[in-house]
Amino acid sequence: MDAMNITAPPPFTTKTMQTPARSLDEKLSWTAHQATAKPLQFALTADELTRYHEQGFLVKRGLVADFAETMQTQADALLAMEELQVDGNLRLDLTRDARIWKIDPFADLHPFWSRLTRDRRIADVLATIYEGREPRLLKDKLIYKPPHSQGNALHQDYTWWQGLPTSAISVCIAIDYTTIANGATTLYPGLHKNGLINAPGELSFLDRKVVDGVEPEVVCAEPGDVIFFDCFTPHEAGPNTTDGFRRQIFLSYNDSADGEWHAAHYDHFFSYRIKGASEEDKVKKFFL
Ligand SMILES: O=C(O)CCC(=O)C(=O)O
């Protein structure tokens, strides 16, 4: 075959995707390296991208539905890992009656999860939002929300990520069916455009007044459905009032143009998790 006749796929360009830039400066100051320029296989459509920017979130139904069964089996396997369930392990968040509520981080505990964090269907959606640049994993957690356990009050993720890149986006993957009764994730559209709502440095949940008059989207998800949401999008999730689990994965990423933050985030996260503990208790905490 004549090599001259092989036409390379067109490189991803912001022009063909009609991607709105977050700011003119940012767009002009970033230069793609040719070696990483490749077409995105699973890019958002221009409509989806506009919706993401308008709402501050986007629901992609069934994006990783083919992994639903494996995610369920692997989540069960993590819960059964005895070596994790040691008093003082900073990965674990427990309910008041000492059941695992969340494992944070979790993706390094099995190659299946590590691989999921690099799935092109997820990465390409993020790269569309990042104008062709790759995402970098910033945080990874698996919320089990076991039967009759608490939810999350209204907040913006960035409240607890101040100092990290504002390009951060969370990717919520449903492992189980989520319903109002088991505490489905609920997001408030449009408010991400206000940036950080609390005063800088204030680490608290949001006053409900900020969502007055805003119609929430309660995402009742099926296993494998995925929600992408901005780090400034106010969201919450009710308690699980049912007898079953409501398991969801939350993978957070930043624009690779902003660098690598996973280790820095966890150094900070673990330090504030032990902040109030006595010296005696601090020495019992570890990361396994
Ligand atoms: O579990 C949910 O649906 C929401 C979790 C959440 O808001 C968080 O972990 O920041």
Side-chain angles (χ1 to χ4, degrees):
M1 193 190 293
D2 180 353
M4 295 305 286
N5 288 334
I6 300 172
T7 44
F12 176 93
T13 66
T14 54
K15 204 167 169 201
T16 53
M17 291 306 301
Q18 298 174 330
T19 312
R22 281 197 157 206
S23 82
L24 194 60
D25 283 345
E26 208 170 75
K27 189 175 176 192
L28 292 177
S29 64
W30 183 75
T31 314
H33 191 287
Q34 273 308 305
T36 66
K38 60 175 170 26
L40 301 176
Q41 272 178 278
F42 306 100
L44 293 177
T45 64
D47 270 4
E48 287 175 316
L49 188 57
T50 302
R51 220 169 336 126
Y52 175 81
H53 284 299
E54 278 309 305
Q55 301 186 135
F57 62 87
L58 186 76
V59 182
K60 292 281 284 179
R61 298 282 176 188
L63 188 66
V64 294
D66 54 328
F67 284 163
E69 219 178 294
T70 315
M71 289 193 293
Q72 288 159 2
T73 314
Q74 291 290 343
D76 286 344
L78 283 190
L79 211 52
M81 265 176 86
E82 281 178 16
E83 61 269 42
L84 273 188
Q85 302 190 22
V86 183
D87 204 18
N89 186 355
L90 285 168
R91 282 184 195 265
L92 304 182
D93 230 344
L94 305 178
T95 59
R96 263 192 292 270
D97 55 355
R99 290 170 297 155
I100 291 180
W101 189 84
K102 173 179 79 161
I103 305 180
D104 181 356
F106 78 104
D108 58 326
L109 294 171
H110 192 280
F112 169 74
W113 299 121
S114 309
R115 160 73 185 74
L116 181 66
T117 69
R118 296 186 300 277
D119 192 283
R120 284 315 316 173
R121 292 168 292 187
I122 293 167
D124 280 10
V125 169
L126 294 164
T128 315
I129 299 166
Y130 294 145
E131 303 179 326
R133 299 178 294 275
E134 284 292 302
R136 290 276 176 273
L137 190 68
L138 166 69
K139 181 171 182 68
D140 52 278
K141 63 190 180 196
L142 197 170
I143 298 183
Y144 282 84
K145 210 193 274 199
H148 306 284
S149 65
Q150 74 272 15
N152 295 76
L154 182 67
H155 67 283
Q156 294 176 298
D157 286 340
Y158 199 75
T159 300
W160 286 275
W161 296 349
Q162 292 180 54
L164 300 181
T166 55
S167 60
I169 293 173
S170 290
V171 178
C172 163
I173 307 172
I175 299 181
D176 297 312
Y177 285 85
T178 72
T179 61
I180 292 174
N182 71 14
T185 308
T186 300
L187 305 108
Y188 291 83
L191 297 176
H192 64 296
K193 292 177 184 169
N194 299 333
L196 190 64
I197 296 171
N198 284 339
E202 187 187 329
L203 302 184
S204 60
F205 293 97
L206 291 170
D207 191 315
R208 294 214 69 81
K209 278 204 298 265
V210 307
V211 295
D212 266 359
V214 181
E215 187 68 33
E217 182 158 342
V218 184
V219 183
C220 291
E222 297 195 7
D225 286 353
V226 183
I227 313 168
F228 294 82
F229 62 98
D230 189 274
C231 60
F232 292 117
T233 300
H235 61 285
E236 63 189 335
N240 181 357
T241 62
T242 72
D243 294 336
F245 282 76
R246 192 234 57 177
R247 294 169 298 183
Q248 287 197 136
I249 294 162
F250 290 81
L251 305 174
S252 304
Y253 297 83
N254 59 265
D255 184 334
S256 51
D258 292 330
E260 187 72 50
W261 290 90
H262 192 271
H265 161 66
Y266 278 103
D267 283 347
H268 177 234
F269 176 66
F270 291 143
S271 76
Y272 73 67
R273 289 206 65 185
I274 60 171
K275 205 165 166 214
S278 64
E279 288 309 312
E280 193 190 346
D281 277 351
K282 270 183 194 165
V283 296
K284 292 187 202 147
K285 303 284 182 196
F286 61 93
F287 170 52
L288 181 68

